[in-house]
Amino acid sequence: MMNQGAKKAGYVSQPAGTDPRSTEAWALSEASRRLVVASKTEDGGKSLRDALILNQRLWTIFQTALAEPDCPLPREIRDNVLALSIMMDRQILQRLGDLDGAKLQPILDINRCVAEGLAMKPDLPVAQPVQEMPQPQAIPAAPAVGGTRMAVNVSA
C-alpha cells in the first residue's frame, strides 16, 4: 500500500523492491507518466516545465553516476548511455524552450526503453554441464612374454 507521503508527492506507484535497477526503472516510468499528465494539463505550461525539469534531474543523476571512476558498468554500456543522455539533454532543452507537449515522444521513448532494460534481470551465466571424463582405455595387452601379460593405462 502506498504511504501518505508518496501520495502527497503525486506518486501513483512506488518501486516494488530495494534493488537499484528497479528503482531507476520506476523513476523513469514515473517521470514519463508525469510528462504525459503535464502535457494534457491546461496551466500555461507550468506542469510541463516542472515535469521536464524532473526528467532532467533524473538524467543528470544517471550522468553523474556513469562518470564516476568506480562505475561498475562495462565501458561500452557506460559510453552508450552517456551518449543517449546527451541526446536526452537536447530533447529536454528543446521542450523547455517551446513547452510543446505534442513533441514529447522522443523523451518518452528513451525513458521507456531504458526503463525496460533496467527492469530486465541480467542474464546470469548458465552453469555448463560437467562433461564426463572419458573412461581410461587400456592399450591392448602385449603378447605374453614368459607367461605374463601387461596392460598400460594411457589416460591421465
Side-chain angles (χ1 to χ4, degrees):
M1 169 121 179
M2 188 182 329
N3 69 34
Q4 293 300 336
K7 200 171 199 176
K8 281 183 182 179
Y11 295 116
V12 172
S13 64
Q14 294 181 17
T18 58
D19 169 41
R21 290 173 59 101
S22 297
T23 303
E24 292 165 351
W26 170 82
L28 285 165
S29 297
E30 179 64 21
S32 292
R33 184 194 69 78
R34 288 179 179 222
L35 285 167
V36 170
V37 169
S39 71
K40 298 174 183 175
T41 303
E42 299 290 332
D43 64 357
K46 181 189 178 318
S47 295
L48 184 55
R49 178 177 283 111
D50 291 346
L52 286 164
I53 291 170
L54 174 72
N55 201 80
Q56 181 64 46
R57 286 183 183 152
L58 180 58
W59 278 90
T60 300
I61 291 168
F62 293 157
Q63 290 167 343
T64 302
L66 291 166
E68 291 291 325
D70 62 346
C71 178
L73 290 176
R75 183 81 179 169
E76 184 179 356
I77 292 173
R78 198 173 17 175
D79 290 348
N80 288 339
V81 176
L82 283 170
L84 192 60
S85 72
I86 291 169
M87 187 170 68
M88 181 62 88
D89 287 343
R90 289 184 190 134
Q91 287 292 321
I92 291 170
L93 290 174
Q94 288 173 351
R95 296 301 64 83
L96 283 169
D98 63 19
L99 294 176
D100 187 349
K103 297 178 181 176
L104 291 175
Q105 200 58 51
I107 295 170
L108 298 174
D109 289 344
I110 293 169
N111 280 354
R112 179 184 45 80
C113 287
V114 174
E116 286 174 0
L118 288 166
M120 293 173 56
K121 297 293 179 206
D123 290 337
L124 298 176
V126 177
Q128 297 296 321
V130 177
Q131 295 181 352
E132 288 187 29
M133 295 294 291
Q135 292 298 321
Q137 296 181 356
I139 295 178
V145 176
T148 307
R149 294 181 56 126
M150 278 183 11
V152 178
N153 188 345
V154 293
S155 62

